[in-house]
């Protein structure tokens, strides 16, 4: 875990791939537990449980930048920013296939809690949520040792935060994520090639726009 920024109101961190944001498994480490331990060690009240507001999530296999609130007022302000679409989330992903230069996608996704998957469904389906993103292709390469299809590095701008949204929408247009065992089981990749590499939001106390980023790790990103 890498702390990118901290003040009295917020914590901005880089979540490593493979660590859940929160888990109910006893003894398993997650971001919430790690950060609460950090707060307790660096100024929390003796014996007390530090406040930590979880504002948004990332899937367990996804690396990326996250912001947490250190008090309820900051949590309310950041949550309001998400509701008003003021928080900007940008991802880098490696997909299998030749991506278009630019494309915008609007779909309706329905989550299945029993299988922990989501799927595209017709508009008006009960429980379905509108899901919007756009992407641009940064580079395409061919390497038969990695995949039968060309691989494309894409930058994705996420406008709604639905369950497995990027993974489902990109797979639906024939560009499944490299290493996505759930929606692309034939992939030769062993890890999901998705990184929430940039996050922009307004500071809950000052109103100042802040942007934080991280560098994607993993061998496949190094190919580009």
């Amino acid at each position: 875990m890498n702390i990118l920024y901290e003040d009295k109101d917020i914590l901005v961190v880089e979540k490593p791939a493979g660590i859940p944001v929160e888990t109910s498994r006893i003894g398993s480490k997650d971001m919430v537990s790690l950060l609460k331990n950090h707060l307790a060690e660096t100024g929390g009240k003796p014996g007390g449980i530090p406040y930590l507001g979880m504002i948004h999530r990332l899937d367990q296999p996804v690396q990326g930048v996250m912001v947490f609130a250190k008090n309820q007022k900051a949590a309310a302000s950041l949550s309001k920013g998400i509701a008003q679409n003021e928080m900007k989330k940008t991802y880098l992903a490696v997909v299998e296939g030749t991506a278009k230069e630019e494309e915008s996608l609007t779909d309706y996704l329905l989550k299945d809690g029993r299988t922990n998957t989501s799927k595209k469904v017709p508009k008006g389906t009960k429980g379905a949520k509108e899901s919007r993103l756009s992407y641009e292709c940064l580079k395409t390469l061919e390497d038969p040792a990695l995949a039968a299809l060309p691989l494309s590095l894409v930058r994705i701008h996420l406008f709604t935060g639905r369950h497995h949204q990027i993974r489902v929408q990109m797979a639906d247009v024939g560009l499944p994520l490299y290493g996505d065992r759930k929606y692309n089981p034939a992939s030769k990749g062993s890890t999901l090639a998705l990184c929430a590499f940039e996050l922009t939001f307004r500071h809950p106390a000052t109103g100042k726009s802040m942007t934080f980023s991280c560098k994607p790790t993993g061998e496949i990103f190094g190919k580009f």
Side-chain angles (χ1 to χ4, degrees):
M1 180 184 68
N2 181 23
I3 296 178
L4 303 176
Y5 176 85
E6 182 178 5
D7 62 22
K8 65 182 182 64
D9 296 300
I10 62 174
L11 257 171
V12 182
V13 301
E14 177 186 347
K15 184 187 91 65
I19 295 182
V21 175
E22 188 175 33
T23 181
S24 58
R25 294 180 181 178
I26 298 175
S28 297
K29 64 179 180 179
D30 58 44
M31 294 302 296
V32 170
S33 299
L34 292 171
L35 291 174
K36 283 187 175 181
N37 288 340
H38 162 76
L39 293 176
E41 294 169 357
T42 58
K45 296 180 181 179
I49 299 176
Y51 177 89
L52 184 73
M54 185 170 59
I55 308 304
H56 59 120
R57 294 177 176 271
L58 287 177
D59 292 343
Q60 182 171 335
V62 180
Q63 170 200 1
V65 181
M66 299 187 69
V67 59
F68 293 83
K70 293 174 66 175
N71 55 66
Q72 292 181 340
K73 187 175 181 180
S77 178
L78 290 168
S79 296
K80 182 179 179 181
I82 290 179
Q84 296 179 346
N85 203 29
E86 293 177 350
M87 184 177 286
K88 306 301 181 184
K89 304 173 185 177
T90 308
Y91 291 71
L92 288 176
V94 176
V95 299
E96 298 190 23
T98 303
K100 296 180 180 179
E101 287 188 12
E102 294 183 11
E103 186 173 19
S104 296
L105 304 175
T106 298
D107 298 301
Y108 290 83
L109 302 186
L110 182 65
K111 179 181 177 180
D112 185 339
R114 295 171 299 175
T115 60
N116 190 34
T117 59
S118 289
K119 63 180 179 180
K120 178 182 173 180
V121 295
K123 181 179 180 179
T125 300
K126 184 179 179 180
K129 296 181 178 180
E130 184 182 53
S131 306
R132 295 182 295 111
L133 63 78
S134 67
Y135 74 83
E136 55 201 56
C137 183
L138 302 178
K139 187 176 181 180
T140 298
L141 62 82
E142 294 190 26
D143 188 339
L146 295 173
L149 297 172
L151 297 176
S152 297
L153 177 66
V154 296
R155 179 163 52 209
I156 299 169
H157 305 279
L158 192 64
F159 304 119
T160 54
R162 310 307 185 198
H163 179 257
H164 292 175
Q165 180 181 339
I166 292 174
R167 300 162 69 179
V168 175
Q169 287 191 279
M170 296 305 288
D172 182 70
V173 294
L175 297 170
L177 269 62
Y178 185 78
D180 190 350
R181 296 299 188 182
K182 191 176 289 285
Y183 299 100
N184 185 21
S187 177
K188 294 182 180 180
S190 58
T191 57
L192 181 66
L194 181 62
C195 174
F197 89 102
E198 188 174 272
L199 182 69
T200 298
F201 59 91
R202 291 194 177 277
H203 191 281
T206 67
K208 178 184 177 182
S209 179
M210 307 182 78
T211 298
F212 298 91
S213 61
C214 68
K215 184 178 180 179
T217 59
E219 182 180 357
I220 193 62
F221 282 107
K223 300 291 183 180
F224 291 90

